[in-house]
């Protein structure tokens, strides 16, 4: 892309202006080619601050939301394994793969799952397992994760996912609250689950079953 470097530095400045502070995450966003995750017809908009359609009625989240969720899930000394629900185009997945040792990401729409697989393979990211499945069921091949991130909003916290959270693990998810959505951070502690309200957000709904 012409002037790609310029686009990307403006992109990072804008994220800083919106309050993103974690330098590691800014660096990852600065180097990851977002245009690869976007349909060719929309690629000139890859470094805008918008959510964009990725087909199948789904969207890639805005760069700010991706950066914000990455910042909230980041805990310097606890970056072993992460489970992502809602691979979509795989952009957040790629960022998680630079932050965590191992990433498992589940997507219910086969077309998106296959496309993300191709994109992530072209970037040679090797610590990612992509699954075509319903995220409500969790991931049966691994018992527990240090972190779980949902990029689609369920009506309530799925029990099976909560059960897959390690001791001291955290979960970032959008939840419906009285008809609108909020982003929450749940943290498993000795005294149970601690829940923190982060921000108002707008995600696609988490749906049952696979297609
Ligand atoms: N992080 C993604 C966001 C995509 S939108 C990106 O940047 O592209 C959320 C995704 O969650 C959609 O692709 C949708 O199909 C998926 N999704 C919704 N319900 C799901 C479920 N039950 N299990 C797995 N994926 C689900």
């Amino acid at each position: 892309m012409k002037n790609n470097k310029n686009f990307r530095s403006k992109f990072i400045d804008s994220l800083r202006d919106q309050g993103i502070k974690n330098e590691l995450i800014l660096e990852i966003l600065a180097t990851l080619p977002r245009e690869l995750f976007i349909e060719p017809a929309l690629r000139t908009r890859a470094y805008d601050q918008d959510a964009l359609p990725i087909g199948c009625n789904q969207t890639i989240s805005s760069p700010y939301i991706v950066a914000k969720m990455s910042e909230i899930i980041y805990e310097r000394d606890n970056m072993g394994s992460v489970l992502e629900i809602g691979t979509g185009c795989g952009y957040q997945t790629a960022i998680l793969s630079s932050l965590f040792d191992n990433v498992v990401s589940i997507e219910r729409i086969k077309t998106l799952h296959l496309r993300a697989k191709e994109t992530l393979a072209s970037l040679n990211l090797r610590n990612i397992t992509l699954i075509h499945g319903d995220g409500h069921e969790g991931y049966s091949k691994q018992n527990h994760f240090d972190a779980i991130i949902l990029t689609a909003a369920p009506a309530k916290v799925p029990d099976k996912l909560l059960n897959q959270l390690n001791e001291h693990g955290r979960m970032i998810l959008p939840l419906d609250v009285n008809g609108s959505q909020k982003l929450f951070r749940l943290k498993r502690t000795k005294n149970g689950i601690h829940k923190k309200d982060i921000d108002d957000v707008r995600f696609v709904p988490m749906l049952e079953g696979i297609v």
Side-chain angles (χ1 to χ4, degrees):
M1 188 184 285
K2 242 172 143 188
N3 288 329
N4 208 344
K5 222 169 168 179
N6 199 15
F7 274 120
R8 290 199 201 179
S9 69
K10 279 196 185 141
F11 178 67
I12 297 306
D13 288 347
S14 165
L15 290 171
R16 275 189 216 282
D17 290 346
Q18 293 175 82
I20 302 299
K21 293 190 182 71
N22 184 313
E23 289 299 326
L24 174 60
I25 289 164
L26 288 167
E27 173 68 26
I28 294 168
L29 269 98
T31 47
L32 185 65
R34 193 167 186 258
E35 67 274 16
L36 293 188
F37 296 86
I38 288 168
E39 288 170 34
L42 295 172
R43 281 190 184 159
T44 53
R45 295 173 59 193
Y47 295 92
D48 292 353
Q49 291 296 324
D50 300 325
L52 293 170
I54 55 171
C56 308
N57 271 329
Q58 307 301 319
T59 51
I60 178 173
S61 304
S62 73
Y64 169 73
I65 275 294
V66 172
K68 183 78 186 165
M69 288 181 88
S70 306
E71 209 167 56
I72 297 164
I73 209 166
Y74 186 78
E75 279 181 17
R76 205 179 55 183
D77 298 322
N78 194 6
M79 303 299 281
S81 56
V82 62
L83 173 64
E84 178 187 39
I85 308 300
T87 315
C89 67
Y91 182 66
Q92 175 85 68
T93 322
I95 292 163
L96 294 171
S97 93
S98 296
L99 292 171
F100 285 84
D101 296 339
N102 286 298
V103 183
V104 176
S105 182
I106 303 178
E107 169 59 54
R108 69 180 286 275
I109 301 178
K110 192 162 195 181
T111 309
L112 294 179
H113 160 74
L114 292 175
R115 212 181 285 156
K117 210 169 185 175
E118 239 175 66
T119 311
L120 294 168
S122 77
L123 287 165
N124 225 354
L125 302 174
R126 296 185 179 276
N127 58 345
I128 300 174
T129 305
L130 293 180
I131 305 290
H132 176 225
D134 180 349
H136 289 98
E137 300 301 320
Y139 181 56
S140 58
K141 290 192 183 153
Q142 181 173 330
N143 281 339
H144 290 99
F145 291 86
D146 298 314
I148 300 180
I149 179 170
L150 278 69
T151 68
K156 67 183 258 299
V157 184
D159 287 336
K160 284 190 180 164
L161 292 181
L162 209 49
N163 291 339
Q164 291 211 279
L165 206 53
N166 259 342
E167 208 182 322
H168 308 301
R170 64 280 192 199
M171 184 187 290
I172 314 299
L173 81 165
L175 267 183
D176 284 320
V177 184
N178 304 328
S180 60
Q181 276 181 19
K182 279 185 183 296
L183 190 63
F184 288 96
R185 182 180 199 278
L186 309 187
K187 174 91 180 164
R188 192 184 280 288
T189 70
K190 267 190 293 191
N191 307 320
I193 301 284
H194 179 255
K195 188 172 175 186
K196 189 174 169 199
D197 174 347
I198 308 282
D199 213 346
D200 291 334
V201 286
R202 206 175 162 77
F203 281 83
V204 296
M206 184 166 169
L207 301 175
E208 303 277 345
I210 58 171
V211 287

